[in-house]
Amino acid sequence: MDRKFIEKVMTASEAVEQFVSSGSIVGIGGQTIGRCSMALAHEIVRQNKQNLILVGCSMSISMDLMVGAGLVSRTECGTGNVESFGATMRWRRAVEEGKLEVRDFSHLSMAFRFLAGSLGLPFMPTKSMLGTDLISESGVNSDSYIVMDNPWQNNDPVVLLKALNPDVSIIHAQKADKYGNVVIEGFKTHEIEMAKASTHVLVTCEEIIDSDEIRSDPSLTTIPYIYVDAVILQKWGGYPTSVYHHYVHDADHISLYQKVARVGGMEYQKYLDDYVYGCKNFDEYLSKVLDSSSKNSLIQEMDSLLE
Amino acid sequence: MDRKFIEKVMTASEAVEQFVSSGSIVGIGGQTIGRCSMALAHEIVRQNKQNLILVGCSMSISMDLMVGAGLVSRTECGTGNVESFGATMRWRRAVEEGKLEVRDFSHLSMAFRFLAGSLGLPFMPTKSMLGTDLISESGVNSDSYIVMDNPWQNNDPVVLLKALNPDVSIIHAQKADKYGNVVIEGFKTHEIEMAKASTHVLVTCEEIIDSDEIRSDPSLTTIPYIYVDAVILQKWGGYPTSVYHHYVHDADHISLYQKVARVGGMEYQKYLDDYVYGCKNFDEYLSKVLDSSSKNSLIQEMDSLLE
Amino acid sequence: MSDKIHEYLMVIEAARYISDGDVVLVGTGLPMVASLFAQKNHAPNMCYVVESGLIGPEVIPTPVSVSDPRVMNKAINHGTLISALGEILHRGLADVGFISGAQIDQYANVNSTVIGDYNNPKVRLPGSGGANDIATHSRKILIIARHEKRRFPEKCDYITSPGYIDGPDGRKKAGLHVYDPDINVITDQCVFEIDKKTGKLFLAKIMPDVTIEDVKNNTGFEIIISNSGPEVVLQPTQNEISLLNNEVDPTGVYLKH
Amino acid sequence: MSDKIHEYLMVIEAARYISDGDVVLVGTGLPMVASLFAQKNHAPNMCYVVESGLIGPEVIPTPVSVSDPRVMNKAINHGTLISALGEILHRGLADVGFISGAQIDQYANVNSTVIGDYNNPKVRLPGSGGANDIATHSRKILIIARHEKRRFPEKCDYITSPGYIDGPDGRKKAGLHVYDPDINVITDQCVFEIDKKTGKLFLAKIMPDVTIEDVKNNTGFEIIISNSGPEVVLQPTQNEISLLNNEVDPTGVYLKH
C-alpha cells in the first residue's frame, strides 16, 4: 500500500527485503496449480524470513515451500492442496507432527475476512460454517469469529468473521504497469480483496505494460496502483503452476516437488539447496529446470486451449 | 433473477408488465445525469404501477418522474440530485409537502445494503453515519439499521445495515447479449451489487451483442445472465442522461424537465401527457424530442471526449 | 460388470442428477468430470460454476483443477471467489452443489479436514476449500466418492461440510437457511439418498451386479433400505460410455480406460 | 478585488490544500473544479477519485457531474461506488476528502439534507450522497462553499456529514476511526480551520480586501481568531488565474468569466 503514483519496479530480492519481515502475516496469491506466486516464495525462503503467518484460500506449493523451509508458525486458510498431485505434503506433515498451528476456514469465509479488511470493516457476517466443526472445534479459531443472533430474525445465528489484513501479500499476475496497476486475467479467486486488505502488496508479472494500455481500458485493472508497493518483472514467475494466456502447469516438476515433499528429510533439503538456496534468483532456478523445448511445450499447450 | 440460460429479449412494455407490480421495491440504476434507466421509468409511468418503493444511491430524474406521476410511496437513497440542474424537484416538493416517506442514507451505506443483499447476508457493518442525524433522526430508518459494539474492540460502535433486496431493478447499459449477460462501460456505481441483490433485473441496452463477444472477454461481464430477466434493445434508452461511449446528456431537455418539475401542477402534467402518457413507447418520445441533428451533436460531443 | 464400468457409471449416474439449466457449484476432482459429462450429454445450458471465480464456461476436457484454463474456456465471466461462492452460492442461487470428500457419514456430513483427532491428527487432509460453503448453501447436494468402508463411517471424525448434521432438524437447529436439501451420495456401488424424516441416508439405488451385501460390507454405517428396496442404477448406454471415454475424459485423467 | 477574483481565489486556495500524490475523494460541484485545478497546477500525481467508481482519471475540463465522461478520461480504473467509497475511503486510504454543503456550523458539521425540521422541512435538500462517507473517513477534510450568512449557522439544522460534532472529543465519542482530522473550510471570504483543542472552527486566513468585520457579518457563528490573527490568503498568480480561466473552467461552468 504505497498510495503514491511513483515508479515501483524493483527486483524480487529488493521487494522481499523491504516489505517482508520475520513475523509478517503474508497473504498468498494464486490457487492450487494456477498462478501461484512462486518467484516471491522462493525469494522469501532465500532471505530466510522466519515465523511467518501465511493466509489465503487454497494454498499450494508456494505455501508448502515456506513451510518446508521451516519459516512458518501458522497458516489460516481453506485448503492446503495441489489437486490431483495430492495435499501440500510438507504442510500436512508439519500439522500431523504438531509443528504448525493451523486455523481452518471455508474458502468463502477466508475471502470474506479479506473483504472486511479491504473495506476497513471490523468484520463480515456469514452463514457458512454453522453446524460444523469449523466453528466448534477446540476453539482454535475463536479469536477470529463469534456467533451472534441476527437482530432482524429470530433463531437465525450469524457468524461474524474478524477482518484479516495481511502485512504483505504476494501475487503473480499477467500484467502490471510500472506504477503498480495490475491486470489479472482468468480466475481471480480471493486475490483482489486480499491485496486491497494488505498493508503492502508485491506483484510479479509476466509483462510490464505501458500505462496507456491500462488507461485505455480501465475496466480491466484488477488492482489499482494505490494498493501496490512493488512491481517485479518475472517471466515464468508462476512456474511450475499455470499462468492463463502464458503457460500451463508443469506436471513433471510438480510431481518431482511432491515426491521430495512427501519424503521430506535430506531429499527435501536437497531440493531446497539445489533449487532455492543454491540459486541467486528465480531465473537461475528456471534455467536449471526448464530448457527451451520444455518451455515451448508448456506455452504451446496453453495456446492450444485458447483457440 | 431468471437463472436459466434462455433468450430474454422482449419489449419494455412486456418486461414492466411481467416484472413490476404495484407495491414493488424498485432498484434504480444510473447516477445523476449518467446512464439513468429512462426508458423503463417511462414505461412504469405509462403502466401506472402504484405505491412503489424506489431504492438506489444517487436517484435522479428517472426517480423524479415516477414521483411526479404519483406512483411512489417511499424512497430510500443517498440523494435526489440532478447535479448542476438542481435537486429532483418533484421529489423535493413531495417530501416538503409530507406526501412522500424518505429514508436517508449515505451512498456507501446504500451500496453496502445492496452488497449484503447480493451476498445473501442479513446485514453489512459500516462505520459511516455514526455521530450524525442519518442514524439519530427520528428513528425513521430504525428498521434498517442497528448500532452494536465491535466484539473485538472496546468503545467501537458499528452500524449494522440491514440487507436490501429489491423486487426488481431497472438498469440501462451499453451492451447485453440475448441471454442477459450485461456489460456496463465507464462508472458502475451501485448497480452491480443492486442487480445481484434483486429478485428480478430488467436491462435496456444500446446494443445487443453476440454472446461470442461476451465469451471472448469474460472479464468484462458486469452482470452475468443468471441475475437478469429481461433484455430490451433501446437505443437512447438513457436519454436525456448520458451514456458513456454513446452520447452526452442533453442539457436542454434536462433543463426543460427541471423547469416543469419545479413548477409542478398543470405544466408538469402536460409534460407527462406529451412525453410519457401520450407516447406508445420510448421511441415515440425520442422522436418528439430529438431530431437527427440534435442526436448527432450529442454523439459528437461524446466522441470528442473519447479521443 | 467390471470395476471400470462401475466407475464410469458412478460418474454418469451422478451427472443424471444435474438438469439442463441448473446452476451447479462444481467442486474439484470427480465433480468436475461428472459435471462436464452432464454439460456434454444432456445439460448444455447448465451453468458450470467453479469457486476460483469462473462462471458458465464451455469446459474443455479434461479439467484437473479449479484453476485449469479448461474451465475458463468461453466462460461468461472470469470473476472472483466471491462472485462464485458469495454472489451465487451464499446468495442462494445454486440449484446443485457438487462435492467429494474423504469421509461421509450416515447424516451425509462430509469430512475433508482430518482423520483422527483434530489436535492430534492421524492424517491431515487438505481442508474444506469451498466444500463447506457448497454443502451449506446449495438447494440440492451431490456427493461423489469411491466406495470404501473407511470412507463411510457412522460418524465423521470431523464435520467439514454439513449434511443433516445429527438428524432431521440438524440443519435448522444450526441456523442454515437451506434446512432440508435433497442430498444424494453417488458411489461406484450405489446411490444413497437423504430421508428427510430421519435425516439419514438410505440405500436408494444399487449398481448393476452389486448386491446389498456388498454395500453393507463396504459401509461403516447401518444400511437402511426403503420398503420398496433399492432400484437398480440404469445401465449406461453405449453413447454415454463413448462420450465419457472419447470426449469427457479421453486421456483417462479420472477414469481407467 | 472583485467578487469574481474572490471566487477564483476560493477555488485556487482550496486546491492548495491538495498535495501532489494525495488520494483525494472528490465530491460533486466546486470540489470537482478545485481538484481539477490542483491536478493541472501542482498535483499532477494526485489520485482523483469520484464516488461513482472512477479512480485516477486525467480529468478533461470541465466536469459537471460524478457521471461525466470527463472524469472517466484515462482513468486507471472504472469501478464501482464500493471501489471508491469502500475500498479506498472506508478502508482509510483517502488523504483528502473534499465536499461542499448547504450549511456548515462552528464544529464543521455539514448539512446537505434539510433546512428546517427533518419531519416538517422548509427546504428539502438533495441529501448526503457520498458526503457523509467522505467526512467520516478522510484523514483531511476540505469543505468549500460560497460565504453567505445562512450557510454558516451556529448549529446545522441537520448533521449530514460529521465535523467535530459537538466538541474536541465529538468524533471519538461517536466512534469514528478518524477522530482528529484536519478540517479546512474555504470560502470566497476566508479560510476557517479546526482547532483540535476545542473542535471549533477559527478564522485562519482571510481573503485579500476582506475584513474580519465582513466575515463576522456574513457568519452565523462566533468568529474565533487566533492570537496571531488571520493570515491573508496568498494572492493568485497570473498563471493561476489564466490556468483556471483557460484550462480548468474555460467555458465558465462554475465561475463567472
Side-chain angles (χ1 to χ4, degrees), chain A residues 142-182:
Chain A
S142 60
D143 61 355
S144 305
Y145 73 86
I146 65 157
V147 180
M148 71 175 276
D149 285 322
N150 178 356
W152 287 281
Q153 194 171 312
N154 286 333
N155 299 317
D156 188 35
V158 178
V159 182
L160 299 189
L161 296 159
K162 191 179 177 188
L164 181 50
N165 293 93
D167 295 315
V168 55
S169 281
I170 60 172
I171 289 172
H172 184 68
Q174 282 85 356
K175 299 175 182 176
D177 72 6
K178 61 188 176 186
Y179 304 106
N181 292 302
V182 178

Side-chain angles (χ1 to χ4, degrees), chain B residues 31-35 57-58 77-81 83-88 91-93 95-98 102-109 111-112 115 125-135 137-138 140-141 150 153 155-157 185-190 192-193 242 244 248-249 301-302 304-307, chain D residues 28-29 32 51-54 60-61 64-70 72-74 77-87 89-90 109 112-114 117-134 136-137 155-162 165 170 172-177 253-254:
Chain B
Q31 192 164 26
T32 66
I33 55 172
R35 222 167 26 66
C57 277
S58 180
C77 64
T79 42
N81 191 9
E83 301 258 18
S84 53
F85 300 92
T88 43
W91 174 80
R92 173 175 159 174
R93 295 290 183 236
V95 179
E96 287 168 358
E97 291 166 12
V102 282
R103 297 189 184 176
D104 279 289
F105 293 87
S106 76
H107 274 174
L108 184 60
S109 299
F112 275 176
L115 179 61
T126 182
K127 297 285 293 180
S128 284
M129 305 200 298
L130 288 165
T132 74
D133 288 318
L134 286 164
I135 58 170
E137 183 70 38
S138 335
V140 285
N141 292 343
N150 177 356
Q153 194 172 313
N155 299 316
D156 187 36
E185 296 166 340
F187 77 91
K188 286 155 198 84
T189 185
H190 62 296
I192 299 176
E193 290 80 14
S242 69
Y244 188 54
V248 298
H249 70 279
E301 187 177 341
M302 178 58 78
S304 76
L305 296 171
L306 298 176
E307 306 194 20
Chain D
T28 195
M32 298 193 93
E51 61 156 67
S52 57
L54 307 170
I60 299 174
V64 297
S65 150
V66 295
S67 61
D68 195 316
R70 291 169 185 83
M72 299 186 205
N73 183 57
K74 295 188 182 173
N77 195 208
H78 287 169
T80 66
L81 194 138
I82 287 177
S83 313
L85 297 188
E87 297 163 0
L89 180 65
H90 203 291
N109 302 310
S112 50
T113 301
V114 68
D117 179 59
Y118 184 77
N119 291 309
N120 187 17
K122 201 169 135 202
V123 182
R124 170 66 209 209
L125 305 168
S128 162
N132 170 277
D133 306 301
I134 293 173
T136 299
H137 303 291
K155 192 173 183 315
C156 284
D157 292 353
Y158 181 101
I159 300 181
T160 312
S161 306
I165 303 177
K172 205 168 204 169
K173 281 186 295 177
L176 307 195
H177 282 175
V253 174
Y254 291 91

Side-chain angles (χ1 to χ4, degrees), chain A residues 74-142:
Chain A
R74 186 167 85 220
T75 62
E76 302 191 18
C77 64
T79 41
N81 192 9
V82 200
E83 301 258 19
S84 53
F85 300 91
T88 42
M89 292 308 300
R90 285 293 89 209
W91 173 80
R92 172 175 159 174
R93 296 290 183 236
V95 180
E96 287 169 357
E97 291 167 12
K99 292 179 178 160
L100 178 66
E101 183 187 349
V102 282
R103 297 189 184 176
D104 279 291
F105 293 87
S106 76
H107 274 175
L108 184 59
S109 299
M110 286 302 297
F112 275 177
R113 296 181 69 199
F114 293 128
L115 178 60
S118 75
L119 294 168
L121 301 173
F123 52 78
M124 274 288 290
T126 182
K127 297 284 293 179
S128 285
M129 305 200 298
L130 288 163
T132 74
D133 289 317
L134 285 165
I135 59 169
S136 64
E137 181 70 36
S138 336
V140 283
N141 292 344
S142 60

Side-chain angles (χ1 to χ4, degrees), chain C residues 5-70:
Chain C
I5 292 295
H6 284 149
E7 285 232 334
Y8 275 49
L9 189 49
M10 167 177 70
V11 169
I12 292 165
E13 173 68 8
R16 291 169 179 160
Y17 288 88
I18 294 172
S19 302
D20 199 20
D22 280 351
V23 174
V24 185
L25 256 290
V26 182
T28 196
L30 285 168
M32 297 193 94
V33 70
S35 300
L36 173 55
F37 179 86
Q39 188 177 55
K40 290 207 171 271
N41 187 56
H42 61 275
N45 300 309
M46 69 177 273
C47 187
Y48 195 113
V49 182
V50 176
E51 62 155 65
S52 56
L54 307 171
I55 299 170
E58 296 174 5
V59 181
I60 300 175
T62 306
V64 296
S65 150
V66 296
S67 61
D68 195 316
R70 291 169 184 83

